Amino acid sequence: MAVIEKNKAIEAIISVMATDLKTYLEERNRKNVVIVGVHTGGVWVAERLHKLLKVKDPLGELNIAFYRDDFSQIGMHPSVAPSNLPFDVDGRDIVLVDDILYTGRTIRAALNELFDYGRPASVTLTVLVDRCEQELPFKADVVGTTMSLLKGEHVKLTGPKTLSLVTK
Amino acid sequence: MTVHKNLQINKEGRLKHFLSTEGLSRELLTEILDNAENFAGVGERAVKKVPLLRGKTIANLFFEPSTRTRTTFELAAKRLSADVLNINIESSATKKGESLLDTLQTLEAMHCDMFVVRHANSGAAHFIASLVSSGVRIVNAGDGRHAHPTQAMLDAFTVRRHKGSFSGLKIAIVGDIMHSRVARSEIHAFNTLGVKELRVIAPKTLIPAYMSALGVKVFHNIDAGLKDVDAVIMLRLQNERMQGALLPSADEFFKMYGLTEKRLENAHPDVMVLHPGPINRGVEIDSDVADGARSVILEQVSYGIAIRMAVMSMCMGGSE
């Protein structure tokens, strides 16, 4: 296990992301914004973006355990906190935040879950790290940093207070 | 019982069948409660479904009549996106003389993935679990006097939602302990989950002799038994028990053991009252209590769906 980015660097990346995200939303006239983080790492990044963008509505959290496509292979995942979207999803401009974009399967699951809560006006995908190896047709709208890793290598965000990116 | 223990758990130690709360670890019972916590929110969304068991078929096999248990199992399966078959045994081939094994094989040939079984004979669910082919899962929805594990878990879930944890709690189970599969499953569940003190309260004729060996305190006087308890679980007094001279009359039972507001004054001020239903007003519980602020009887019904979703998805997700 090796630490590749430490707290300060990550916080700096996130503040650049916040600026990019703001521009991105303004350019597209997406004003009815709520932020939703995907458990667990995505929520930590989302918390910071939520603060930086001064979004009025509380932060939403998605636990995609019930929407995973590998359930029949590996069964239930150990559960983290339940999904909690403390606002009406209908007509909102959702900023969907995850820590690592890899195969895109998490995003597929998160979108499916999101649409079971209602019909958002738009979804803006925001990720801290893009591994650029998607297996599904998803492209992040706002990216903190890109990273290319060898097959079998994994990158993980650890937190929640001090964020680090570690590989193993 | 070692055979039964192994039957419920797969090689990786995960839940395979859910037959009894006996012999399952605290970690596993807690995992059921934690998963149910996540499923509890699904019923409040615009789309009250998750796609977890899409393409799976679940058959409700009820050899004994039941409304709330069968309905909540059905709703739970549907909220997991499974297809549900309700087999009404009363009007099925069993009535025409088909054996249980033949009925099961017929359903297996229709590619059912799970059977939810209620049967009047103790051990029926274990028996079926030992017969079905390896890909099929069994959930016990009540077998004779033996076990009703999902009811015990939903009661534990209801208690945990209100009280936060189990370690400091005194819980009393009141009524017909002798014939109650709910009581037996609850005793194993609450003891495994680590309650501080578990009591049973009933007349001598309705408490089996081995009770104290299960780690419970036995009371024959309800006022003494209710002292300082945090939760009271009332059991239904089954009318058919009157005939065996175990009880003089329903009125007499209410006088001696019926739960009234007055009797509850003895308990902890924040006491909660549970009942697996159906309730007999004026027999084991007074209407004022059943409809009162301390009653969580209707909450139990809603939580029953979440618990059954958790158990079904855990059993279906594990390997053989």
Side-chain angles (χ1 to χ4, degrees), chain A residues 93-107:
Chain A
D93 294 305
I94 307 259
V95 174
L96 184 63
V97 184
D98 203 1
D99 50 355
I100 320 284
L101 176 60
Y102 179 27
T103 62
R105 287 170 197 273
T106 302
I107 301 306

Side-chain angles (χ1 to χ4, degrees), chain B residues 91-104:
Chain B
S91 60
S92 75
T94 314
K95 272 271 170 183
K96 298 175 191 160
E98 187 176 73
S99 76
L100 176 59
L101 190 55
D102 287 331
T103 306
L104 286 175

Side-chain angles (χ1 to χ4, degrees), chain B residues 66-319:
Chain B
S66 155
T67 312
R68 86 189 60 210
T69 303
R70 193 189 55 71
T71 326
T72 48
F73 264 111
E74 183 176 348
L75 260 181
K78 286 180 169 167
R79 288 195 180 161
L80 292 167
S81 303
D83 294 311
V84 187
L85 286 172
N86 286 310
I87 315 284
N88 188 357
I89 303 294
E90 289 296 303
S91 60
S92 75
T94 314
K95 272 271 170 183
K96 298 175 191 160
E98 187 176 73
S99 76
L100 176 59
L101 190 55
D102 287 331
T103 306
L104 286 175
Q105 282 174 342
T106 309
L107 288 166
E108 269 187 46
M110 298 176 195
H111 302 291
C112 287
D113 301 287
M114 172 179 272
F115 296 136
V116 177
V117 183
R118 162 158 303 184
H119 201 286
N121 290 348
S122 302
H126 282 100
F127 178 68
I128 292 171
S130 67
L131 288 177
V132 290
S133 49
S134 60
V136 179
R137 302 289 183 262
I138 306 296
V139 174
N140 186 2
D143 61 329
R145 296 183 189 182
H146 171 243
H148 192 353
T150 55
Q151 179 69 47
M153 291 312 292
L154 78 88
D155 291 345
F157 185 72
T158 311
V159 169
R160 195 179 78 166
R161 273 226 148 176
H162 282 260
K163 305 290 183 191
S165 74
F166 296 104
S167 57
L169 299 183
K170 293 179 185 165
I171 297 177
I173 307 172
V174 187
D176 185 358
I177 310 291
M178 176 83 91
H179 303 95
S180 173
R181 53 193 174 209
V182 175
R184 241 167 292 270
S185 286
E186 274 169 348
I187 289 167
H188 291 299
F190 281 120
N191 273 337
T192 305
L193 289 166
V195 296
K196 188 175 174 201
E197 192 180 311
L198 196 56
R199 304 173 181 176
V200 295
I201 309 173
K204 281 190 177 130
T205 48
L206 293 180
I207 292 191
Y210 60 80
M211 258 304 133
S212 48
L214 293 180
V216 295
K217 273 195 176 174
V218 176
F219 289 82
H220 300 301
N221 178 302
I222 188 166
D223 295 311
L226 288 182
K227 182 115 185 67
D228 300 328
V229 294
D230 301 280
V232 191
I233 302 170
M234 297 303 297
L235 299 173
R236 183 172 72 94
L237 190 69
Q238 296 169 341
N239 289 329
E240 52 274 29
R241 310 301 172 212
M242 301 294 176
Q243 293 154 5
L246 293 172
L247 285 173
S249 74
D251 283 349
E252 189 86 352
F253 185 83
F254 185 70
K255 228 175 262 169
M256 298 288 289
Y257 291 97
L259 192 65
T260 58
E261 286 291 346
K262 179 113 189 58
R263 287 204 158 120
L264 273 177
E265 284 170 13
N266 244 342
H268 188 280
D270 291 328
V271 67
M272 53 194 288
V273 176
L274 297 90
H275 193 305
I279 60 176
N280 287 323
R281 291 168 187 267
V283 180
E284 71 266 355
I285 189 164
D286 196 31
S287 272
D288 286 348
V289 178
D291 306 326
R294 289 153 164 163
S295 163
V296 291
I297 297 172
L298 292 176
E299 253 176 77
Q300 286 174 271
V301 180
S302 322
Y303 294 157
I305 301 171
I307 278 290
R308 283 157 187 145
M309 287 171 84
V311 167
M312 284 172 157
S313 51
M314 285 169 73
C315 288
M316 292 286 244
S319 60

Side-chain angles (χ1 to χ4, degrees), chain A residues 101-103 129-135 143 145-148:
Chain A
L101 176 60
Y102 179 27
T103 62
V129 178
D130 186 353
R131 286 188 58 172
C132 309
E133 288 177 74
Q134 284 85 306
E135 293 165 0
V143 176
T145 179
T146 56
M147 206 176 272
S148 53

